[in-house]
Amino acid sequence: MNRINITFLCFLLLAMATVVSFAAPARDGKNSFTLVIDAGHGGKDPGAVGRKAKEKTINLNVALALGRMINKTFPEVNVVYTRKTDKYIQLNERAAIANRVKADLFISIHTNASKSRKARGCETFTLGSGSSAEAKKAAMYENEAILLEDNFQEVYKGFDPRSTESYIIFELIRSHDIEKSIHCAEAIQKKMVGRSKLRNRGVSNAGFLVLHQTAMPSILIELGFITNSAEENFLASSAGQQALTKGIFDGFSAYYKQYGVAKATSAKPQKTKTQPETASSKQTKRADAPIFKIQILASDKKLAAKDKRLKGLSADYYKEKGLYKYTYGESSNYNEIVALRKKISTKFKEAFIVAFRNGEKMDTQEAIKEFKRKK
C-alpha cells in the first residue's frame, strides 16, 4: 500500500469514528422522522450530459417531486434537501448536511451514463467495496465530481476517484446501518422498476464517497442512462420523471411504514455452531427467557471461521434480509453481556447487543425491560 492510500486510510478511519458520534438520538415532537434527499451534481457540475438533457436537472426535478409527494402523504416526515436549486454542493458537505440534521435516511438521486449507447435500466446502490465491475465504474464516475472542488486533495486526503487502488479501502467499511440500507434499496428498486418499466439492474454496492460519511441508512439511486437515446427521452420527460418519482415514493413508503412507524420485523436466526457462553449464563438460561448476544459485524457473504474480520473471536451468525450477521457470546443475564461487550470493545467499537427468544430475534429494549423486571 502506497503512502497516499495509507493517508486516506487514516482519513476514513477518522471519518468512521466521526460518524459514530453523529448517531441520531430519539426524537420527540411532530417531525419524528427526518429524510434527506440529495439531488446529485448541480451548478458548475452538470453530471452526465445527454444529447438534449443534463443529469443535474433530471436529478433535481425528481428530488423535489419526491419531497413534495412525501410531505403530502406523510406530513410528519421532515424532508431536508441538500439543494433545491441549480447549486453546486461538495460531496462531503452533502453527507455533513444529513449528519447535522440527524437524519434517519439519506437518499441520493443520480442519472447513469455509459460509453455504450446500449446500456439501459435503473439501479440502486448501498455503500460497499463494489459488488461488480460495473458497480465500481459507476462509483468512480460519480466520485469524479470531487475533481471540481478547489481543495479536493486536502479534503479527501489523497483519494483519487480514478484510481482502483483508492477503492480497496472501502473493503474495511462496515456500516452499522447496512441492513436497513439494503432493505430500503431493495424496496425502492422493486417499485421503481414496476412504475417505470425500465430494465431492472438490481441492487448493488460500491464505494460512493457521498455515502461513506453518513451516520444513517443511506442509498444512491441511478434513475437510468442518459447516454441511451430512448432512455434519455424518458428521463427528460414529465411522464418519465413522474413514474420514477412514484416508484421511489412507493419504496420509501414501504420502508417508512416498517422502520419509521412500526417496529422492524425480525428474521429467524440460523445457528451453525454452539455460541461461546459465560459460566454463569449456563445456569441462568431458561427456555422462554430472552437471550442476549453481541452483534459484531454484518456481511453480505458468509465468512470463514478464521476470517481476519472476526479478529480471532469464535463467532456465530444468523441470516436476516440477505445478510450474515455475526454475534459473539450469549447469556440470559443482560449484565454479563454488557460486561462482555465492554471487554471486546477495543476490537469492535461499534458492536451492539441484540436479543432473541426461543431462537427468534426480538426487540432488544423489550428484552432488557423484561430482564430488569425479573431480576
Side-chain angles (χ1 to χ4, degrees):
M1 184 179 288
N2 59 36
R3 185 174 181 180
I4 292 178
N5 280 340
I6 292 174
T7 302
F8 184 59
L9 170 60
C10 294
F11 161 68
L12 277 184
L13 292 176
L14 177 61
M16 291 166 68
T18 303
V19 164
V20 175
S21 69
F22 278 121
R27 296 174 178 80
D28 296 316
K30 183 178 178 181
N31 293 326
S32 58
F33 187 99
T34 297
L35 167 68
V36 171
I37 304 176
D38 171 46
H41 306 280
K44 65 180 180 180
D45 176 15
V49 178
R51 293 176 178 176
K52 57 183 179 182
K54 293 181 180 179
E55 177 185 357
K56 66 176 184 178
T57 304
I58 295 171
N59 298 344
L60 184 60
N61 289 345
V62 172
L64 294 177
L66 175 63
R68 289 192 296 269
M69 200 172 291
I70 291 172
N71 280 150
K72 183 178 180 180
T73 308
F74 304 109
E76 74 277 10
V77 173
N78 179 29
V79 176
V80 177
Y81 304 89
T82 57
R83 68 180 182 97
K84 298 179 71 174
T85 60
D86 185 16
K87 181 181 180 181
Y88 177 72
I89 307 289
Q90 293 188 175
L91 286 187
N92 64 326
E93 175 58 19
R94 295 168 188 267
I97 290 171
N99 290 335
R100 283 197 295 270
V101 299
K102 296 181 174 62
D104 296 282
L105 181 65
F106 178 84
I107 297 177
S108 187
I109 298 173
H110 290 257
T111 303
N112 222 333
S114 173
K115 291 181 179 179
S116 171
R117 297 287 179 179
K118 295 181 180 180
R120 60 189 178 89
C122 56
E123 188 170 13
T124 308
F125 290 90
T126 60
L127 183 64
S129 59
S131 55
S132 68
E134 288 187 345
K136 291 177 181 178
K137 287 180 181 179
M140 292 177 78
Y141 173 78
E142 297 296 354
N143 291 341
E144 284 184 3
I146 69 171
L147 301 178
L148 296 173
E149 300 176 19
D150 296 332
N151 58 341
F152 78 92
Q153 290 179 323
E154 178 182 350
V155 172
Y156 300 100
K157 308 298 180 184
F159 179 84
D160 183 353
R162 299 160 298 187
S163 170
T164 55
E165 277 192 340
S166 290
Y167 291 83
I168 296 174
I169 210 69
F170 285 99
E171 293 180 2
L172 300 178
I173 293 178
R174 290 291 180 270
S175 172
H176 58 289
D177 286 316
I178 189 171
E179 59 267 31
K180 288 185 179 180
S181 299
I182 292 175
H183 179 82
C184 182
E186 289 176 342
I188 285 178
Q189 180 67 17
K190 179 181 178 180
K191 298 296 185 179
M192 189 165 54
V193 169
R195 288 282 191 176
S196 69
K197 307 304 179 185
L198 293 178
R199 178 188 175 191
N200 186 1
R201 296 176 66 89
V203 173
S204 305
N205 69 73
F208 291 94
L209 283 174
V210 74
L211 301 182
H212 95 276
Q213 270 189 293
T214 55
M216 71 290 303
S218 55
I219 66 169
L220 184 145
I221 300 168
E222 293 284 5
L223 299 172
F225 283 82
I226 200 172
T227 46
N228 179 303
S229 58
E231 209 149 276
E232 179 188 8
N233 290 334
F234 180 78
L235 293 168
S237 70
S238 296
Q241 291 176 12
Q242 184 179 37
L244 288 163
T245 301
K246 285 184 176 179
I248 299 171
F249 170 79
D250 289 344
F252 167 78
S253 297
Y255 176 88
Y256 175 66
K257 288 173 182 177
Q258 181 171 356
Y259 291 102
V261 178
K263 293 180 180 179
T265 58
S266 302
K268 187 175 182 179
Q270 301 176 9
K271 289 190 175 183
T272 56
K273 56 185 176 182
T274 304
Q275 286 272 15
E277 298 179 330
T278 57
S280 60
S281 69
K282 295 179 181 179
Q283 300 173 353
T284 59
K285 286 168 65 174
R286 293 190 352 237
D288 61 341
I291 300 300
F292 300 97
K293 304 179 184 182
I294 305 167
Q295 186 164 314
I296 55 177
L297 61 85
S299 171
D300 56 358
K301 296 179 181 179
K302 186 177 179 180
L303 305 180
K306 294 184 179 180
D307 191 290
K308 62 182 179 181
R309 283 169 285 186
L310 297 175
K311 301 180 181 180
L313 295 184
S314 177
D316 199 357
Y317 76 87
Y318 66 99
K319 276 191 82 172
E320 186 178 47
K321 293 183 174 65
L323 290 174
Y324 293 87
K325 300 183 178 182
Y326 285 84
T327 63
Y328 178 73
E330 71 172 53
S331 176
S332 59
N333 187 324
Y334 174 68
N335 294 331
E336 287 185 354
I337 290 299
V338 170
L340 187 59
R341 179 183 176 277
K342 184 177 181 180
K343 185 177 179 181
I344 66 168
S345 62
T346 54
K347 291 185 176 182
F348 295 96
K349 292 182 179 180
E350 294 187 40
F352 56 94
I353 296 173
V354 291
F356 298 84
R357 189 195 302 278
N358 297 331
E360 292 190 7
K361 193 176 178 186
M362 64 179 294
D363 182 84
T364 304
Q365 293 304 314
E366 289 298 321
I368 295 172
K369 290 178 182 178
E370 183 175 330
F371 168 76
K372 289 181 178 180
R373 285 198 302 267
K374 294 180 179 180
K375 187 177 177 183

